[in-house]
Amino acid sequence: MTEALFRDDAYLKSTKATVVAVEDDAVVLDRTVFYPLGGGQPGDTGTLRMTSGATVPIVDTRKGEGDAILHLVEPGSDLPAAGDKVDAVIDWDRRYAH
């Protein structure tokens, strides 16, 4: 369900994506540069930038059902809706430190 761009290029810092689903406090995108928790590496953090200019803080990334990757939002954040276009941007300094 989520195209894992980080598998082909671990140095990508951002991508344009479309929101596929919103589940509780998690957003599923059609494609992502966010690496999910696994293999001894913590999940990425960063932001989703909406076309309106608003940002949604991502506090963790986890594997979901099937090929879905869950972008966990900061509690209390305004969530995007399915179909919204976003720029998914990782916290590169944090990723690089790991």
Side-chain angles (χ1 to χ4, degrees):
M1 179 184 262
T2 303
E3 182 183 2
L5 300 176
F6 56 84
R7 288 190 181 129
D8 294 326
D9 186 348
Y11 292 93
L12 283 176
K13 298 175 186 174
S14 66
T15 190
K16 294 194 179 302
T18 301
V19 176
V20 174
V22 179
E23 305 169 2
D24 299 321
D25 285 336
V27 176
V28 179
L29 303 174
D30 66 336
R31 58 195 323 223
T32 191
V33 294
F34 282 73
Y35 184 88
L37 172 73
Q41 181 172 330
D44 278 329
T45 62
T47 58
L48 300 181
R49 293 183 190 151
M50 308 293 293
T51 55
S52 67
T55 59
V56 179
I58 303 300
V59 297
D60 201 359
T61 309
R62 301 288 172 100
K63 293 178 183 175
E65 294 291 322
D67 292 334
I69 295 176
L70 305 175
H71 302 79
L72 305 179
V73 302
E74 186 174 283
S77 297
D78 290 332
L79 297 172
D84 284 355
K85 306 291 185 193
V86 299
D87 288 323
V89 182
I90 63 169
D91 178 343
W92 177 252
D93 291 338
R94 181 177 179 273
R95 157 84 76 79
Y96 192 73
H98 292 151

